[in-house]
Amino acid sequence: MESEPLLTGSINYGSHPDNNDHLEKGSPKTRRLSYSVAAEYCCVGGGDVDLYLQQAVVFIEDAIQYRSINHRVDTNSLRLYRWYYSRLWQWGLGLTIAVVLMLAFIERPSSFSYTSDPRFRPPPWEPPCGLTEGIEIVCLIIFAIDLTTKSYLIGWDEFRKCKWLIVYILAISASVIDWTLTLSMYCDQNLRVRRLIRPFFLLQNSSLMKKTLKCIKRTLPEIASVILLLALHLCLFTMIGMLLFAKGENPKHNGEWETYFRDLPTSLSSLLVLLTTANNPDVMIPAYSLNRGYSIFFILFSGFGTYFLMNLLTAIIYNQFRGYLLMSVQASILRRRLGVRAAFEVMSCQGRGQDATHSEEHVERVRVDASLQVMARVQMKSYYRQAIIKRLQQLSDGFIQWEAFRGLFDELDKDRIKEHPPKPEYNSPLLQKLQLVFSHYYVMIVGNAVALANVMCICTILVLDSEKSIAERDDYYMEVINCFFILYYLMEMSLKILAFGWRGYLSYRNNIFDGLLTFCLLVLQITIFATYRLPFPKWNPASRGLMSLWEMVRLVNMLIVVRFLRIIPDIKLMALVASTLVDLVKNLRAFAGILVVVFYVFAVLGIWLFQGAITAPGKMSVMSNSSMENITINFTMECGSYEQLGYWPNNFDDFASSLVLLYNIMVVNNWQVFMDAYTRYTTEWSKVYFVSWWLTSSVMWVNLFVALILENFIYKWDRSVTCSVADVERTGYETTVQLMFREQIQEPTEEELVTQLHQHPHLHLS
């Protein structure tokens, strides 16, 4: 297939008995790939030597990123492959996916209105026909280019095995057909099927997201027994409840029956909501007020269901998912080791091509200078490259064996220790004393105490002025206090820069945060003085410019409160929690990506099913942003209902409001109000949608996400338990899903690596 194959000459796939015997008798630690070509065939021209190095570079990049090495390895394909995985194309592809997903906010029904409340919502801005369609077709063309490139690089044989790429073709084709129908109907198409297809483009672009989805799919059958037990528990108590709270002769004693147990659907939904504690204790009050013994029924139901079965379900979901995720991570580690082994093999062949002696010992080692050339061209983080190059330069004999070569890439699993620049040296004794004082740890403690005092002053004034209107407030005292503290912050920042130097000051993340906010506070304070002059008692000048005095003082106070977060790096536990949150954003995006996909799909389905189902009562008009007139209510609102609670902005009338409503249901507080409202306005079958969303989001995904947060935090806590606060600040913990499960992962054997390399469709090794 390739125009420049890896090895020229006759290649035999294991037909030599000697080679086969060698593979059978070799130990795992010494077993290696043997080439059926004669050694002299490795003596190739300069272009082929460069090809070996280029292949090694790409294989190592694949290993770093846990990518498969089953792709074309000729010169032109390798250039295309590196361009495809370059930051430019990957960022461009990610931007394209973001744009095509964001179209749902603009398309009809548009979310471009300042409120989602149907009582006050003005007609939203609707894009002209062809605007979003033009953007979408450009995105689809980019996806087609992505598909074509990816398919070419892996080859036809690998393409046929990849179900994701086959579905990718179907998704693009279906989107183009639906797009054509939209244009043919002059954009008057209410049901756009391609909206449901768009989340697939996000899924297929992330290998970890695919693994996560596969693990979730495999987990579902494992938890079916607990879900069945939960359903049995619900049905059993529903029937008992309908028997206990049957309709009686006395209408005053039928409150429980009338509200919660009138019929089977109402009884099921009432107890299902009680399972989430959203309607507790409301559901038991009518019966409990008649006889305290009825409370036993509700306590038994929620105690066994909520605190036992639901937590058991969470534990099973997490345990099963974690097991399948561990299997996926094991496959990722195999990819890394395979990439490193493939790089070693092509470099060893290149080494035999440059060495005049073709002895057997050269098979299991590569030249150090070739390894240095490869590492200089690999795209990776600079501190990892420097660590690997440093270890290579320490080798004295000019060659590196396989075990040592594999050990080089253990540096990728190590934490980065950040060294701060040396402090500047001063000749003046005064500057030396200032440097000694303001580089001390106690200065940071004093700064935190001053920041706390500033926040306490703001809190005190806010409490004293909480009942006053803006016109009655006297901003003089707050402004004087803020001026004093801002001057201290400026002095502290200047003296720290003097003590550590510019580079040393900026090498601390908390100093960057502190300095940036101090600069913003200084600029705001100067702006206040320039606009409203110096403060004085009863200082309340008329508004000038874009912001009033109160708005500017309020902004200053907000920045001061945010600045108090500088204490986080100085407290070990808080620093670990903060770094865990940052790592979740950086490294667990795949799990959040699945949640985005689920939100997107359910929001689109919600618009299809319930758009415009709830209509605003009466006639309402908005005269201004702060006044509403002509409001008439034409019906009596039941206490605790959707209408009485004013939940009108929570609806499925556009994409943005659908997302907010789904989030409110996921939180499960008062989610029965939304379910009841849409049941009344549409049909009883709407409960299936809301229960499905609750199971998917609150039961499945949120619990998984919480469990992974715990895994992340425990992993970091175990590694930092012996460290001081300064060590935690200096250590850049590299937390990925692979590293979180590193201790449970088994290293692949040499036989597995050899077998996988033999199966490579484009790299012909025997």
Side-chain angles (χ1 to χ4, degrees):
M1 291 183 181
E2 288 75 16
S3 57
E4 297 178 49
L6 176 64
L7 295 174
T8 57
S10 175
I11 301 177
N12 189 310
Y13 295 97
S15 60
H16 285 282
D18 295 340
N19 288 345
N20 292 339
D21 292 340
H22 174 74
L23 286 175
E24 291 174 1
K25 296 176 182 178
S27 64
K29 292 187 177 180
T30 60
R31 181 170 297 184
R32 62 183 183 273
L33 290 176
S34 59
Y35 296 85
S36 60
V37 294
E40 58 267 16
Y41 285 104
C42 283
C43 300
V44 292
D48 286 334
V49 171
D50 185 68
L51 173 60
Y52 290 130
L53 296 179
Q54 192 176 358
Q55 288 170 343
V57 168
V58 171
F59 288 147
I60 290 175
E61 289 176 350
D62 290 338
I64 293 171
Q65 300 298 330
Y66 300 102
R67 294 195 298 252
S68 171
I69 65 170
N70 292 339
H71 53 78
R72 297 176 185 267
V73 291
D74 60 278
T75 302
N76 294 329
S77 297
L78 290 175
R79 291 197 190 100
L80 179 62
Y81 184 83
R82 297 193 76 192
W83 171 83
Y84 178 80
Y85 282 107
S86 65
R87 183 172 298 179
L88 176 65
W89 175 254
Q90 291 301 315
W91 273 91
L93 187 59
L95 179 63
T96 304
I97 294 171
V99 168
V100 81
L101 291 176
M102 295 292 287
L103 288 177
F105 291 98
I106 307 174
E107 294 171 333
R108 195 179 306 172
S110 172
S111 302
F112 275 64
S113 60
Y114 69 89
T115 178
S116 61
D117 194 325
R119 299 172 297 175
F120 319 127
R121 181 178 56 211
W125 174 80
E126 298 285 353
C129 181
L131 176 61
T132 57
E133 287 74 17
I135 297 174
E136 187 171 14
I137 194 61
V138 172
C139 295
L140 292 175
I141 291 173
I142 294 175
F143 292 146
I145 295 173
D146 175 65
L147 171 65
T148 305
T149 305
K150 194 180 295 185
S151 302
Y152 168 76
L153 288 173
I154 66 174
W156 173 248
D157 292 336
E158 290 295 312
F159 173 80
R160 289 184 299 175
K161 301 175 186 177
C162 185
K163 296 178 181 178
W164 281 96
L165 290 182
I166 295 174
V167 178
Y168 200 3
I169 293 178
L170 298 176
I172 295 175
S173 303
S175 298
V176 171
I177 293 172
D178 192 59
W179 178 86
T180 306
L181 290 175
T182 301
L183 286 185
S184 65
M185 299 173 68
Y186 301 100
C187 305
D188 196 24
Q189 182 187 16
N190 293 325
L191 190 66
R192 302 188 180 190
V193 180
R194 64 184 183 278
R195 277 190 169 189
L196 279 180
I197 299 175
R198 288 171 185 167
F200 172 80
F201 299 128
L202 177 63
L203 283 176
Q204 67 83 30
N205 194 48
S206 170
S207 60
L208 190 55
M209 217 176 284
K210 296 174 189 175
K211 292 179 184 294
T212 305
L213 192 64
K214 187 176 181 180
C215 292
I216 292 174
K217 184 184 71 173
R218 289 182 174 181
T219 303
L220 290 177
E222 304 292 338
I223 63 174
S225 58
V226 180
I227 293 179
L228 183 61
L229 183 60
L230 194 63
L232 181 62
H233 170 73
L234 182 63
C235 293
L236 178 64
F237 272 83
T238 297
M239 290 184 287
I240 295 175
M242 293 182 70
L243 292 172
L244 279 176
F245 309 114
K247 184 178 180 180
E249 297 296 332
N250 190 348
K252 294 181 180 180
H253 296 170
N254 291 333
E256 190 74 35
W257 168 82
E258 184 176 357
T259 307
Y260 300 107
F261 290 91
R262 176 180 290 271
D263 51 39
L264 183 61
T266 305
S267 304
L268 277 172
S269 59
S270 298
L271 290 183
L272 178 63
V273 174
L274 179 59
L275 205 61
T276 67
T277 70
N279 61 352
N280 184 65
D282 300 354
V283 69
M284 65 182 288
I285 292 301
Y288 184 54
S289 62
L290 296 176
N291 190 324
R292 68 176 74 231
Y294 284 125
S295 62
I296 299 175
F297 170 82
F298 297 100
I299 292 173
L300 286 176
F301 174 79
S302 59
F304 185 74
T306 304
Y307 297 107
F308 179 73
L309 287 181
M310 292 297 292
N311 288 327
L312 180 63
L313 181 63
T314 301
I316 291 176
I317 290 173
Y318 169 59
N319 185 63
Q320 295 298 327
F321 178 83
R322 191 179 187 273
Y324 288 120
L325 185 61
L326 185 60
M327 291 168 56
S328 297
V329 172
Q330 182 76 50
S332 297
I333 297 300
L334 176 61
R335 286 184 173 187
R336 169 168 287 188
R337 298 295 180 256
L338 192 61
V340 172
R341 180 69 191 197
F344 180 84
E345 290 299 331
V346 296
M347 290 171 64
S348 65
C349 187
Q350 181 263 342
R352 290 198 304 277
Q354 290 184 351
D355 201 321
T357 305
H358 307 300
S359 61
E360 183 71 14
E361 64 179 359
H362 289 157
V363 176
E364 280 297 314
R365 65 181 189 175
V366 298
R367 300 173 64 93
V368 172
D369 56 349
S371 302
L372 290 172
Q373 292 180 48
V374 168
M375 295 310 304
R377 295 164 60 178
V378 170
Q379 294 181 359
M380 61 189 305
K381 293 181 179 179
S382 58
Y383 50 87
Y384 287 141
R385 179 189 289 110
Q386 292 170 4
I388 293 175
I389 289 177
K390 183 178 179 180
R391 289 184 59 178
L392 280 170
Q393 291 173 342
Q394 293 173 351
L395 300 173
S396 57
D397 60 350
F399 289 92
I400 180 171
Q401 306 293 330
W402 158 239
E403 292 296 335
F405 186 82
R406 183 179 62 180
L408 291 175
F409 297 92
D410 292 339
E411 297 290 337
L412 300 174
D413 297 335
K414 294 181 180 179
D415 299 320
R416 178 193 179 191
I417 305 299
K418 182 174 62 176
E419 298 293 339
H420 298 294
K423 298 176 184 178
E425 298 181 0
Y426 297 107
N427 296 324
S428 170
L430 176 62
L431 293 179
Q432 290 176 357
K433 289 181 180 179
L434 287 174
Q435 184 182 42
L436 179 64
V437 171
F438 285 95
S439 61
H440 200 277
Y441 178 71
Y442 289 134
V443 173
M444 187 166 50
I445 296 177
V446 172
N448 292 338
V450 172
L452 176 62
N454 193 359
V455 172
M456 294 299 295
C457 290
I458 294 174
C459 182
T460 303
I461 294 177
L462 288 176
V463 171
L464 294 175
D465 293 345
S466 60
E467 298 294 332
K468 297 179 181 179
S469 65
I470 295 177
E472 296 172 337
R473 293 173 184 263
D474 186 3
D475 296 323
Y476 169 73
Y477 298 103
M478 185 174 286
E479 184 61 23
V480 170
I481 292 172
N482 286 346
C483 286
F484 169 77
F485 282 108
I486 290 173
L487 287 176
Y488 173 82
Y489 298 152
L490 184 62
M491 180 191 71
E492 180 189 29
M493 182 181 71
S494 303
L495 290 174
K496 278 188 175 181
I497 294 174
L498 175 70
F500 293 101
W502 271 108
R503 292 182 58 202
Y505 179 83
L506 295 177
S507 66
Y508 294 88
R509 290 178 296 234
N510 55 330
N511 282 346
I512 297 175
F513 174 78
D514 190 27
L516 181 62
L517 287 180
T518 300
F519 178 76
C520 293
L521 287 170
L522 180 63
V523 171
L524 270 174
Q525 201 61 53
I526 294 173
T527 305
I528 290 175
F529 290 158
T531 307
Y532 297 103
R533 306 293 181 243
L534 295 176
F536 53 86
K538 304 298 180 182
W539 184 46
N540 194 10
S543 178
R544 302 174 187 172
L546 297 176
M547 301 175 67
S548 66
L549 174 62
W550 165 243
E551 289 172 338
M552 298 187 76
V553 172
R554 183 167 56 180
L555 183 57
V556 168
N557 293 335
M558 289 179 182
L559 291 178
I560 290 173
V561 172
V562 172
R563 186 183 178 276
F564 185 63
L565 296 177
R566 57 171 274 169
I567 69 168
I568 289 178
D570 303 328
I571 302 175
K572 179 178 176 180
L573 183 58
M574 293 180 65
L576 284 174
V577 171
S579 62
T580 300
L581 293 176
V582 173
D583 278 335
L584 286 173
V585 175
K586 292 192 302 183
N587 300 316
L588 298 182
R589 288 173 293 184
F591 303 97
I594 300 289
L595 189 59
V596 169
V597 169
V598 175
F599 260 96
Y600 200 99
V601 171
F602 270 85
V604 172
L605 289 175
I607 293 173
W608 287 359
L609 296 172
F610 306 117
Q611 182 188 355
I614 296 181
T615 55
K619 178 183 178 182
M620 303 192 177
S621 63
V622 181
M623 302 303 295
S624 65
N625 289 337
S626 59
S627 64
M628 292 175 286
E629 299 180 1
N630 301 327
I631 301 179
T632 58
I633 306 298
N634 297 327
F635 63 96
T636 302
M637 295 179 291
E638 181 183 351
C639 183
S641 65
Y642 180 92
E643 295 83 4
Q644 187 270 329
L645 293 172
Y647 283 177
W648 300 104
N650 293 281
N651 53 63
F652 288 102
D653 291 349
D654 59 65
F655 189 74
S657 61
S658 300
L659 294 176
V660 175
L661 176 53
L662 289 175
Y663 174 78
N664 291 334
I665 297 172
M666 184 179 71
V667 177
V668 303
N669 185 35
N670 272 359
W671 73 288
Q672 77 278 6
V673 176
F674 305 114
M675 184 167 62
D676 173 70
Y678 279 95
T679 300
R680 287 187 284 108
Y681 281 97
T682 56
T683 174
E684 287 283 343
W685 288 103
S686 62
K687 292 180 180 179
V688 176
Y689 172 87
F690 290 95
V691 173
S692 299
W693 170 245
W694 167 71
L695 283 172
T696 303
S697 61
S698 185
V699 175
M700 277 284 296
W701 192 249
V702 171
N703 287 323
L704 280 176
F705 204 66
V706 169
L708 287 167
I709 290 176
L710 292 175
E711 283 282 349
N712 194 309
F713 178 77
I714 293 171
Y715 168 78
K716 299 191 75 170
W717 177 260
D718 289 342
R719 303 179 72 185
S720 62
V721 68
T722 58
C723 299
S724 64
V725 173
D727 292 333
V728 172
E729 195 277 333
R730 290 174 60 241
T731 305
Y733 292 106
E734 292 296 322
T735 306
T736 62
V737 179
Q738 287 81 9
L739 291 180
M740 284 168 54
F741 295 99
R742 188 69 183 86
E743 294 182 358
Q744 290 82 29
I745 292 174
Q746 296 180 353
E747 283 290 333
T749 63
E750 204 69 14
E751 289 90 342
E752 292 174 324
L753 298 180
V754 169
T755 302
Q756 291 288 329
L757 279 178
H758 273 295
Q759 295 173 356
H760 195 290
H762 308 288
L763 186 67
H764 301 303
L765 303 174
S766 64

